Amino acid sequence: MRSGDLPSWRRNRPRSWWPRSLRARVILAFVVVAMVAATAASAAGYVAARASLVDETQRRAADSLRGQISRLAPEVEYPPDQEALERLRTSLGEDSMVTFEGLTAASGGALGLISDEMRSAVAEGDRFTVQRVVDDSGPKLVLATPILRTDVDGRQRASGVEVYVVQDLAPTQAQLDRWTRIVVLTIAGALPLAVVLALLVSRSVLRPIQRLGHSANQLAAGNLSIRLTPSGRDELADLATTFNRTAAALERSVGELRHREAEARRFVADVSHELRTPIMALTSIMEMVEADARDRSPDDREMATMAVDRTRKLARLAEDLLEVSRLDAGAVALRRELVDVAHVVADTVRTRGWDGDVDLVPTEPVLARVDVRRLDISVANLVGNALRHGSPPVVVEVRTEADDVLVVVTDHGPGLPADVDAEQLFARFFKADSARAASDGSGLGLSITLVNAQLHGGSLSARTSEDAGAEFVLRLPRHLEAEPLEAEPLEPEAGPDGGRHGRQDGESDEQP
């Protein structure tokens, strides 16, 4: 992919060197801006001060030379001789030169800085010329001027005498160097100050954002009563006010939903509980009708059998709904017992009459501390589900894996549909095939099995086996550390119909 084809959000991502933390970015941006401002201000002040100092030094030197020339010029005899030029040069000091036509009086080692261009400029007019030059010893100021004669009529004309003076700018340069050090120290001192100010600014700006983030996390965790205290009248205060309004609206909405959900659960629990007694009576009556219909016509026997089956299905549905309502209400407490899980699974298959349809994989005793009743219900749901919607043989295997015990139920049917995932399988009242809407399953068995597994701290998963059909894996922690491993396996308690713990037939949930 070319860089131009990248989406805008990827093209606009920060560089790797740019910090991800908002605090770090605020501090870095503030420090950079402060340092740029301090550097610019110091540099501008230094440049202005330097230009002022150099100009002032040059003006003073020029004024001093003009004053000397004005004072000494009347004493010079014209045309001057060599001796007169020497006296004039001596009066000007070191690093000076005076010329008149072919005569020259000079002294000092810096006279080589006088350029031919300057000498030509002085010789051609009456201009006062100044140049700044630098040699190995430092900066110098070269001043050159012709000496003018005043005629009787007051007019001035060139006398032919030219004066050149080289002045050392070392004191001025030393002053500039001191200013440079001051500027550097000022910029360096501005760095910690900028960092301190950036910390204070970031703290004042980010603290409300941190409080907002903390409150948002608490809101996401379920604390819907969390509120912020807006301070000031800036955008952060407006954001806090908006957050409070949003949290209040969410609290009202969630409260109303929870109230409706609680009412719905209470209704289901009440209806299921109230239906149990009449359904049990109805089941007994239907069984009596079925017994009486044995001597009647085949159609009557079929109708009686159908009525008994539908009544039993209604009883199972009421039991499942009541169980779901207890799970939803959190009114379920595990009664863990140290048992042989393989023995419990074998007894579940045997008491429900599935011995001829289910192959139990032989295994050594597998001890685990579980709620026997809920394990029995879970295994019955998985095996009954495989028998109803898969193809024989149904294979049940109990094995250990790390600190867990696994109950694996595999059928040899077509497996799970490609368009159905595990979350859908374990949802309440889920049926993958609409043609099965009238089947005996309540659509709650797998959901109840999942909740039972989660109550134990385990899990339930489903997949399509490579060499078989659908495979369901019930994983439960063994919890062997609480009691000795030598505890005897518990025998299941039989119900009136030979089933276990009140589960009449271990009816399964629907499987796609």
Side-chain angles (χ1 to χ4, degrees):
M1 178 182 291
R2 300 188 303 273
S3 59
D5 298 332
L6 293 174
S8 59
W9 66 269
R10 292 188 60 183
R11 292 197 302 269
N12 299 330
R13 288 177 62 183
R15 301 286 185 180
S16 58
W17 54 265
W18 187 248
R20 295 186 177 181
S21 170
L22 181 58
R23 177 185 294 274
R25 280 185 283 174
V26 170
I27 293 176
L28 180 60
F30 189 93
V31 169
V32 169
V33 172
M35 293 304 298
V36 169
T39 303
S42 300
Y46 171 78
V47 171
R50 179 180 181 278
S52 176
L53 179 61
V54 172
D55 292 342
E56 179 64 19
T57 301
Q58 181 176 313
R59 185 187 62 80
R60 289 180 180 179
D63 291 344
S64 175
L65 181 59
R66 287 192 182 96
Q68 286 182 304
I69 296 299
S70 298
R71 187 178 67 255
L72 296 175
E75 300 176 1
V76 177
E77 297 179 357
Y78 297 97
D81 55 10
Q82 184 65 34
E83 184 179 355
L85 295 179
E86 289 292 343
R87 287 196 302 270
L88 179 58
R89 187 211 57 77
T90 302
S91 300
L92 294 175
E94 289 295 323
D95 292 326
S96 58
M97 180 175 67
V98 181
T99 63
F100 176 74
E101 295 180 353
L103 302 178
T104 300
S107 176
L111 298 178
L113 299 176
I114 303 174
S115 63
D116 295 337
E117 291 80 4
M118 176 175 283
R119 299 186 68 170
S120 299
V122 173
E124 293 175 358
D126 56 358
R127 293 182 302 167
F128 192 100
T129 305
V130 179
Q131 283 186 350
R132 288 192 296 270
V133 295
V134 178
D135 65 356
D136 295 338
S137 61
K140 300 291 189 297
L141 187 65
V142 181
L143 302 97
T145 181
I147 294 180
L148 303 179
R149 293 182 59 188
T150 303
D151 294 335
V152 179
D153 57 3
R155 289 186 301 177
Q156 290 184 333
R157 57 185 177 88
S159 64
V161 179
E162 300 172 0
V163 176
Y164 301 90
V165 176
V166 179
Q167 184 174 340
D168 190 6
L169 293 180
T172 303
Q173 185 61 42
Q175 180 67 25
L176 292 175
D177 293 341
R178 286 194 296 270
W179 286 0
T180 302
R181 288 193 295 271
I182 292 174
V183 169
V184 173
L185 292 176
T186 300
I187 296 175
L191 179 60
L193 180 60
V195 172
V196 172
L197 292 177
L199 290 174
L200 294 176
V201 171
S202 65
R203 183 178 180 183
S204 63
V205 172
L206 297 181
R207 178 176 291 180
I209 298 179
Q210 291 174 342
R211 287 198 296 264
L212 178 62
H214 176 71
S215 300
N217 288 333
Q218 289 200 1
L219 190 66
N223 184 10
L224 302 180
S225 63
I226 188 68
R227 297 293 186 273
L228 293 172
T229 303
S231 59
R233 298 182 178 179
D234 54 7
E235 290 80 0
L236 294 177
D238 295 339
L239 183 59
T241 302
T242 302
F243 175 85
N244 290 339
R245 288 199 299 265
T246 303
L250 182 61
E251 184 177 19
R252 290 193 299 270
S253 300
V254 172
E256 183 178 354
L257 290 175
R258 287 176 177 174
H259 176 72
R260 293 181 179 179
E261 183 180 7
E263 290 293 331
R265 289 176 178 175
R266 187 179 300 110
F267 173 77
V268 171
D270 293 344
V271 170
S272 301
H273 186 271
E274 294 297 329
L275 285 177
R276 292 180 68 185
T277 301
I279 288 177
M280 290 176 62
L282 183 61
T283 302
S284 300
I285 295 174
M286 288 296 102
E287 290 175 350
M288 294 175 60
V289 171
E290 183 183 23
D292 292 341
R294 292 174 182 173
D295 299 332
R296 297 178 180 274
S297 65
D299 291 340
D300 292 341
R301 290 197 299 272
E302 182 179 357
M303 293 297 295
T305 302
M306 184 181 300
V308 171
D309 290 341
R310 293 294 181 258
T311 304
R312 288 175 177 172
K313 177 182 178 182
L314 183 60
R316 289 193 298 270
L317 177 59
E319 289 291 335
D320 286 344
L321 289 174
L322 190 59
E323 179 72 7
V324 168
S325 65
R326 286 196 294 263
L327 293 174
D328 289 342
V332 175
L334 292 180
R335 300 178 58 185
R336 294 183 184 272
E337 301 170 274
L338 189 62
V339 296
D340 178 4
V341 175
H343 180 82
V344 174
V345 171
D347 190 70
T348 299
V349 174
R350 184 180 65 254
T351 55
R352 286 164 174 79
W354 293 335
D355 305 70
D357 301 317
V358 176
D359 294 338
L360 294 175
V361 178
T363 182
E364 295 294 329
V366 179
L367 297 179
R369 186 167 285 102
V370 297
D371 187 316
V372 180
R373 173 180 174 274
R374 298 197 173 277
L375 175 60
D376 172 73
I377 293 174
S378 299
V379 173
N381 281 334
L382 294 178
V383 176
N385 187 75
L387 290 172
R388 183 173 299 276
H389 303 295
S391 297
V394 173
V395 180
V396 180
E397 179 184 4
V398 179
R399 65 173 185 265
T400 59
E401 185 176 291
D403 295 330
D404 298 333
V405 56
L406 276 62
V407 179
V408 183
V409 179
T410 307
D411 62 47
H412 287 73
L416 305 179
D419 57 344
V420 175
D421 56 22
E423 292 185 1
Q424 292 176 295
L425 282 177
F426 303 140
R428 296 176 183 177
F429 303 106
F430 174 77
K431 295 182 180 181
D433 189 353
S434 59
R436 297 176 183 167
S439 65
D440 290 341
S442 66
L444 294 173
L446 288 181
S447 176
I448 293 174
T449 302
L450 175 61
V451 176
N452 285 335
Q454 292 172 342
L455 286 174
H456 283 83
S459 63
L460 178 63
S461 60
R463 70 182 184 93
T464 298
S465 176
E466 296 181 357
D467 53 355
E471 178 183 277
F472 288 81
V473 179
L474 175 65
R475 179 186 296 268
L476 302 177
R478 300 179 69 184
H479 293 298
L480 297 179
E481 67 281 357
E483 293 182 0
L485 299 181
E486 292 78 18
E488 292 294 333
L490 295 179
E491 289 294 335
E493 299 178 3
D497 59 348
R500 190 190 331 243
H501 300 287
R503 186 74 180 191
Q504 293 185 358
D505 62 353
E507 187 58 47
S508 65
D509 188 13
E510 290 287 334
Q511 173 190 326

